Every structure is written in structure tokens, then in C-alpha cells.
Amino acid sequence: MSEAHSGLVAHQFETAEQQRETANLGMWSFLITEVMMFGALFTAYGFYRTKYPAAFAAGSDHLDYLMGAFNTAVLICSSLTMALAVQAAQHGKRKGIILFLLLTILLGGVFLGVKVLEYADKYEHHLIPGIHFSVDSSYAAQIELFYCFYFAMTGLHALHMIVGITILGILVALSHRRRFSTDYYNPVEMAGLYWHFVDIVWIFLFPLLYLIGRS
Amino acid sequence: MSAHKIPARIYYLIFATLLLLTMITVEVAFYDIGILSFPVALGIACFKSTLVILYFMHVRYGTGLTGLFVSAGFIFLAILMVFTLMDLNTRDWQVQPDESGISLAAPFDHGYGIGKQLR
């Protein structure tokens, strides 16, 4: 390992490998705090769902599961392109990094676009919790609670998507300026971890929000 | 660099598996398997996440320390969920839902201050 002192390795590290490992552990520590944040929401969701199963099923029925399934597929595709971007970085293929990052950004954009359509639909049907919420049901209040969870969880997830897309945009610019090499591509790899994490959150959100009581 | 280079075909394989499992998730949701539908949906989601973590996030090819970090994170998540739900679901201030699954009476109004009445 001769990368030490080549300028790519910060001075507290012996080797590029050690630097990479450290970045990896740091990123995972952060992701675990994210897991706990979403975990708290999922816990609250689980509690109220066991309290009001029928209301949650009724609320879920107003969601378009096809849009949710489509978005799940889009996010899985974006995870693939992100993994391929990291792989291109490992092999030092600059054009590959840029291409796959742009594809990932595009797919992220499609996801958010569908989300906008869904939110607009909920607005039109008075399903946004608050003063104008109205459903024809004897347990409207509990259905409203379901929608509180729906908007809190998908909203926080969408916020993560927006942050992710911004980060990927910055990486495209950095990659364009030849800032990454086979010895140093930590930012691409860390952004990849973040992106896959956001995908995992959606993997849980989709069945828990869209597919209750469909049988 | 000794970073493990995973062949692209593994990524495509995982990708295809994830799509297939998504289709299964949707399919299963429309079958009446009663009380099993929630654990099945959750089980598939857990399996999909494990694939993403192990392969897309390279944990399988990483060091033992990374694996330990990730496992510890999910153990803490399990503590958060299991203990919270165990506590909440065994308190006597809960009103059991009626057969429609709805308890319209103010369920938590015992001075704990949470959700006296939803509306």
C-alpha cells in the first residue's frame, strides 16, 4: 500500500483502506440513528394498528396500491443503478459513475413525481389530516390517525429522497471534475449506503401502508 | 485497494429477486390468509432488506466490525419495539376493541395525558 501520503489519504490514516473502513463505520453509525428514528415511527404505527385494525384497513383502502407498487419497483431500480455507480467507481470508470448517478437521480425524480400525484389526490379527497379532513365513516377520527402516520412516514421518507438526490447531484459534479479514482471514491460509496437505506425504509412502508386489509 | 469487487451479475440477480418479492408481496396481500397476512408481509420485507444490506450495501463482503455495528443497530431497534409494545399492550388502562376492531370510547383517558379522545 503506497497510497499513504499521496494526498488522497487524510493524515490520520495509515492507508486508503483504513480510511475507507473508517468512513464505512461512521456512515453505518449515522444510518443506525436513522433506523432508530424511523423505528420509533414504526413502533407507534404498530401500536395504533393493533388498536384500530379496521380503521387502518379502511384508511389503506383509499391509497392506490398500484402507484405504491410502481414506486417500489422504481426505487429497487434506483438501488441497482446506485450499486452499479459504486461499482463503476471501484473500477475507476468516470463516465460510468456519472451515467449511473444520473440514472439514479432520474429514478428518484420519478418516485417523487408519483408521490406528488398521490399527495394531490389525497388533497382533493380531503384526506389530509387537519381542518378539512373528512371521510364517511363512523370511525373517521381513527382513519385520520392512519393518515397522520401515512403523511409523517412517507413525508419523512420523501425528505430523505430529496436530500439523497441533492447529494447525488453534488457527486455528479465532483465526478465530472475528476475528483474520484480507484484509490478514493468514499463519497460515492457512502452516498450509496444512504440511498440503499432509503430504499429499505420504503420496502417496509409499502406493505405496511398500502396493503392492509386487501384480501 | 482491497475493496471487494462484486461481479455485476450478483447485483442483477439481487435486483431481480427484489422485484419478484415485491410482486409476491402484492399478490399475497389479496389472498385471505387471515392473521398470517401481517407476519408474511413483514417477513418478506425483512428478507428483502437483508438482501439489500448484505449485497447492495456490501456488508457481506465487509469486515466483521461493520457486521457487528449493523447487527447491534438492529438489536437496539428490536429492544425499542418489543419493550415499548410489551409495555403498552399489557396496561390495564386499555379498552379492548369491539368486534369491528374499533374502540370509540376514550381509550386512554386515565390521566396519562395521551390521546384523551381522538376527536
Side-chain angles (χ1 to χ4, degrees):
Chain A
M1 290 268 180
S2 58
E3 5 8 32
H5 315 300
S6 67
L8 296 169
V9 178
H11 125 157
Q12 66 270 35
F13 299 113
E14 293 285 332
T15 62
E17 180 60 22
Q18 189 194 22
Q19 176 170 260
R20 210 180 67 87
E21 263 312 311
T22 308
N24 206 43
L25 271 188
M27 192 64 198
W28 269 107
S29 311
F30 166 67
L31 289 182
I32 286 165
T33 66
E34 292 267 73
V35 167
M36 297 307 279
M37 176 168 70
F38 279 100
L41 275 171
F42 278 109
T43 308
Y45 164 92
F47 174 65
Y48 283 108
R49 181 171 162 178
T50 51
K51 282 296 108 191
Y52 310 122
F56 270 48
S60 174
D61 207 43
H62 289 282
L63 297 176
D64 187 343
Y65 79 92
L66 281 176
M67 279 193 173
F70 174 76
N71 257 353
T72 311
V74 167
L75 266 198
I76 291 173
C77 290
S78 79
S79 256
L80 175 71
T81 55
M82 188 67 232
L84 293 174
V86 174
Q87 196 192 35
Q90 286 178 334
H91 290 91
K93 293 176 182 157
R94 194 174 65 95
K95 284 189 175 148
I97 304 178
I98 294 175
L99 173 72
F100 284 121
L101 285 182
L102 286 176
L103 274 175
T104 312
I105 291 173
L106 180 73
L107 289 164
V110 170
F111 178 94
L112 288 175
V114 172
K115 212 78 220 129
V116 167
L117 293 178
E118 288 188 83
Y119 280 9
D121 178 74
K122 300 294 162 288
Y123 180 76
E124 277 172 27
H125 290 90
H126 301 286
L127 291 173
I128 307 228
I131 41 174
H132 293 305
F133 186 87
S134 78
V135 284
D136 186 18
S137 165
S138 56
Y139 38 86
Q142 284 83 352
I143 293 179
E144 187 170 6
L145 184 64
F146 171 82
Y147 275 96
C148 289
F149 278 110
Y150 170 78
F151 281 105
M153 293 167 105
T154 60
L156 190 61
H157 178 265
L159 183 67
H160 279 77
M161 296 283 299
I162 293 166
V163 171
I165 287 172
T166 312
I167 292 171
L168 296 187
I170 294 169
L171 289 180
V172 170
L174 288 178
S175 193
H176 187 69
R177 290 179 201 162
R178 300 173 190 276
R179 294 282 282 275
F180 304 124
S181 67
T182 51
D183 283 332
Y184 180 76
Y185 57 92
N186 285 350
V188 183
E189 199 174 0
M190 297 315 122
L193 288 181
Y194 178 83
W195 194 266
H196 295 310
F197 164 78
V198 175
D199 184 24
I200 288 175
V201 172
W202 185 260
I203 285 175
F204 282 98
L205 284 180
F206 171 55
L208 292 182
L209 293 174
Y210 288 78
L211 297 174
I212 315 174
R214 293 280 179 183
S215 56
Chain B
M1 285 298 278
S2 58
H4 199 98
K5 294 191 176 78
I6 302 162
R9 81 188 141 74
I10 299 224
Y11 290 134
Y12 291 117
L13 190 68
I14 299 296
F15 167 70
T17 314
L18 290 174
L19 281 186
L20 185 71
L21 286 170
T22 303
M23 277 154 68
I24 293 174
T25 307
V26 176
E27 233 8 80
V28 163
F30 288 88
Y31 280 95
D32 190 4
I33 49 174
I35 198 162
L36 279 179
S37 83
F38 180 64
V40 166
L42 208 58
I44 296 176
C46 288
F47 182 65
K48 283 165 80 180
S49 312
T50 311
L51 287 181
V52 174
I53 291 171
L54 288 182
Y55 293 95
F56 281 172
M57 297 170 99
H58 303 162
V59 169
R60 193 182 156 190
Y61 306 95
T63 58
L65 188 58
T66 309
L68 187 69
F69 253 63
V70 178
S71 321
F74 285 99
I75 289 169
F76 276 104
L77 178 66
I79 291 173
L80 168 75
M81 289 187 157
V82 171
F83 282 71
T84 306
L85 293 176
M86 217 158 65
D87 180 56
L88 286 171
N89 287 321
T90 51
R91 282 181 188 269
D92 62 354
W93 44 266
Q94 302 243 327
V95 173
Q96 286 304 308
D98 61 20
E99 64 273 12
S100 69
I102 301 303
S103 44
L104 285 173
F108 313 122
D109 191 9
H110 285 251
Y112 289 85
I114 52 166
K116 279 192 173 174
Q117 227 154 3
L118 289 167
R119 176 162 286 175

